[in-house]
């Protein structure tokens, strides 16, 4: 007889958990290859145009990046605590911690949107609003190349954060409706792996894009 809450294709909850974990790691491996390709491309052009990339980085808002780093790291802590609470069947605590994670994810996106708005005001947005006179000390075309990498890499990362916030929101609503977190432990753990991965990607973006101009 199948365990309660375990689909027919699984022998028991342990096999279900192992399958979910394997699937998530395969997904994350694909993500690593995707982001890895971008990082390699960025590094190649950074080596080729070091001065232009340094100048481009100086136009970014480091204080926003530092604030967003603190926000994401704190959200990861809440996710880890929510996972632990789910393991002890504490549904209310899980919901509360995941709600804080959602709030922090939204705060990250708001700050990111503010940064993009400031970039637009400064007219350093390639294609949409780029004023070569705003760039000093390097070839504008190569600085623009850095900014293209910046917007693509941070934009794709922001999309991943948005997906994570959406997943957490749906999950909190499902737990609240079920009034129990027992049937959602695996999802909390898998979504947590995804969220931690998004945080790690940001920890690579911070030095590559922002700290380059601060050195």
């Amino acid at each position: 007889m199948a365990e309660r809450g375990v689909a027919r294709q699984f022998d028991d909850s342990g096999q279900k958990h192992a399958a979910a974990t394997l699937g998530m790691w395969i997904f994350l491996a694909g993500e690593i290859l995707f982001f890895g390709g971008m990082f390699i491309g960025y590094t190649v052009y950074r080596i080729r145009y070091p001065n232009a990339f340094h100048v481009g980085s100086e136009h970014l808002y480091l204080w926003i990046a530092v604030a967003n780093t603190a926000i994401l790291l704190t959200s990861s802590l809440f996710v880890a605590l929510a996972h632990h609470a789910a393991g002890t069947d504490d549904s209310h605590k899980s919901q509360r911690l995941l709600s804080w994670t959602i709030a922090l994810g939204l705060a990250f996106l708001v700050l990111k949107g503010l940064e993009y708005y400031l970039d637009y005001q400064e007219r350093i947005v390639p294609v949409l609003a780029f004023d070569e006179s705003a760039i000093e000390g390097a070839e504008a075309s190569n600085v623009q190349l850095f900014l293209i990498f910046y917007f693509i890499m941070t934009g794709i990362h922001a999309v991943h954060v948005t997906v994570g916030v959406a997943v957490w929101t749906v999950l909190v609503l499902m737990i609240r409706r079920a009034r129990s977190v027992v049937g959602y432990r695996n999802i909390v753990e898998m979504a947590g792996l995804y969220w931690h991965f998004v945080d790690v990607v940001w920890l690579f973006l911070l030095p590559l894009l922002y700290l380059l101009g601060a050195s």
Side-chain angles (χ1 to χ4, degrees):
M1 183 178 175
E3 288 183 34
R4 185 179 177 185
V6 177
R8 291 181 183 177
Q9 64 268 33
F10 302 113
D11 293 334
D12 51 40
S13 58
Q15 188 183 52
K16 177 183 176 182
H17 179 265
T21 303
L22 177 62
M24 177 52 71
W25 279 111
I26 290 174
F27 170 76
L28 292 180
E31 291 282 282
I32 290 170
L33 290 175
F34 176 70
F35 279 100
M38 283 195 296
F39 288 148
I40 291 172
Y42 171 88
T43 303
V44 168
Y45 282 102
R46 176 182 168 179
I47 292 172
R48 189 168 183 177
Y49 307 112
N51 186 48
F53 273 46
H54 188 278
V55 171
S57 179
E58 288 177 336
H59 286 267
L60 304 185
Y61 292 87
L62 181 60
W63 69 270
I64 292 179
V66 171
N68 268 342
T69 302
I71 287 172
L72 280 185
L73 291 177
T74 305
S75 72
S76 260
L77 173 62
F78 285 154
V79 166
L81 294 174
H83 179 226
H84 180 267
T88 58
D89 300 340
D90 192 335
S91 300
H92 293 294
K93 189 174 182 180
S94 293
Q95 289 180 62
R96 189 166 63 252
L97 290 166
L98 292 180
S99 295
W100 274 110
T101 302
I102 293 168
L104 290 171
L106 291 174
F108 176 93
L109 292 172
V110 168
L111 280 178
K112 198 71 218 161
L114 171 64
E115 186 177 8
Y116 285 162
Y117 173 74
L118 295 174
D119 292 337
Y120 181 81
Q121 291 290 93
E122 197 179 339
R123 303 194 71 76
I124 57 169
V125 182
V127 181
L128 288 180
F130 187 79
D131 184 358
E132 292 189 3
S133 64
I135 306 299
E136 297 178 357
E139 324 88 89
S141 61
N142 294 333
V143 173
Q144 196 169 182
L145 178 62
F146 166 83
L147 292 169
I148 289 172
F149 271 109
Y150 158 73
F151 280 105
I152 290 176
M153 294 165 86
T154 58
I156 291 175
H157 178 266
V159 169
H160 279 70
V161 173
T162 303
V163 171
V165 169
V167 169
W168 289 129
T169 302
V170 171
L171 187 54
V172 167
L173 292 175
M174 292 172 70
I175 294 172
R176 183 169 301 171
R177 184 175 181 181
R179 298 182 179 179
S180 172
V181 72
V182 174
Y184 300 100
R185 289 174 184 159
N186 276 354
I187 303 178
V188 171
E189 182 178 350
M190 298 308 121
L193 285 174
Y194 171 84
W195 193 258
H196 295 320
F197 170 77
V198 171
D199 283 6
V200 170
V201 170
W202 179 257
L203 292 179
F204 277 94
L205 292 176
L206 177 67
L208 283 175
L209 298 174
Y210 294 91
L211 299 184
L212 176 63
S215 60

